[in-house]
Structures are given as structure tokens and as C-alpha cells.
Amino acid sequence: MLLVDDLLAAPINGILWVFREIENAAKEEQRSRRDAIMASLSALYISLEQGEITEEVFDAREQSLLDDLDALDAQADAEGSEDDEDEDEDDEEDDDEGDGVHVSRTVLPDRSEPGGSQS
């Protein structure tokens, strides 16, 4: 029976694999863009220290690079919060589904004394 289940689920598993690969490629691209920005910032600081550029040029380029870095971080945060919202919605849907199991608690009187009465 498991073989039949695997055969029936193969197309869905294939599509999910493709989506995971796309997500991994997008994350890798974001990491490489972040690394490139950080390398540019490092080179910019070195250029300033060696006197190759002026403070004004440094400030302009640094601000541009930091803005790019902030935009990249904001994009990553937005994508992360979308994933969290999707998981929350899935959890809510799971809670709404009835699984037929309901647990209730009943408090019973203390029967430590004969007759069940306490003084």
C-alpha cells in the first residue's frame, strides 16, 4: 500500500521539491547580494583610510550602500513575516478541524471522609 501512496504523491512531491529549490536559490541570491554590499562597504572604508576618496564621497557612497542593505533586510523580514503568517493560518485551520476527540474535566468531590461531608 505504501508503494501506491508514494506513486500517487510523486507529482505533488515533485512540485514541492521545485518550490523548495526556488526558495533556496532566492535565499542564496539574497546572501550573495548582502555579502557583495558588505564587501563594498569594507572597500569603501579602506579607500577612505588610505586617502583615495574624500569624506563627502565616502558619506554619499556609504549612505547608498547602507540604504541598499536596509532594503535587503526589510525584504527578508517581510518574507519571513509572510511565512510566519502562513504557518499561523495553517495552525488555525488545524484547530478548526474536528478530529472527534474532545477532552473535558470534571471536578469530583473530595471523598477523604466517610459520607463525603467535610467539617
Side-chain angles (χ1 to χ4, degrees), residues 38-118:
M38 296 300 286
S40 296
L41 276 171
S42 295
L44 189 63
Y45 282 109
I46 291 171
S47 296
L48 177 67
E49 288 176 3
Q50 293 177 350
E52 296 173 0
I53 59 174
T54 64
E55 282 282 331
E56 293 80 25
V57 173
F58 171 79
D59 290 339
R61 290 184 186 171
E62 180 190 36
Q63 189 60 44
S64 174
L65 289 170
L66 290 176
D67 289 343
D68 292 345
L69 193 59
D70 288 341
L72 192 61
D73 288 343
Q75 181 182 5
D77 289 345
E79 290 172 0
S81 67
E82 287 175 5
D83 291 342
D84 292 344
E85 289 174 7
D86 290 344
E87 289 175 6
D88 291 344
E89 289 174 6
D90 291 343
D91 291 344
E92 289 173 5
E93 289 173 5
D94 291 344
D95 292 343
D96 293 339
E97 295 175 3
D99 57 3
V101 177
H102 298 283
V103 177
S104 63
R105 283 192 162 174
T106 305
V107 179
L108 299 173
D110 185 18
R111 303 215 181 233
S112 59
E113 293 183 23
S117 63
Q118 294 183 3

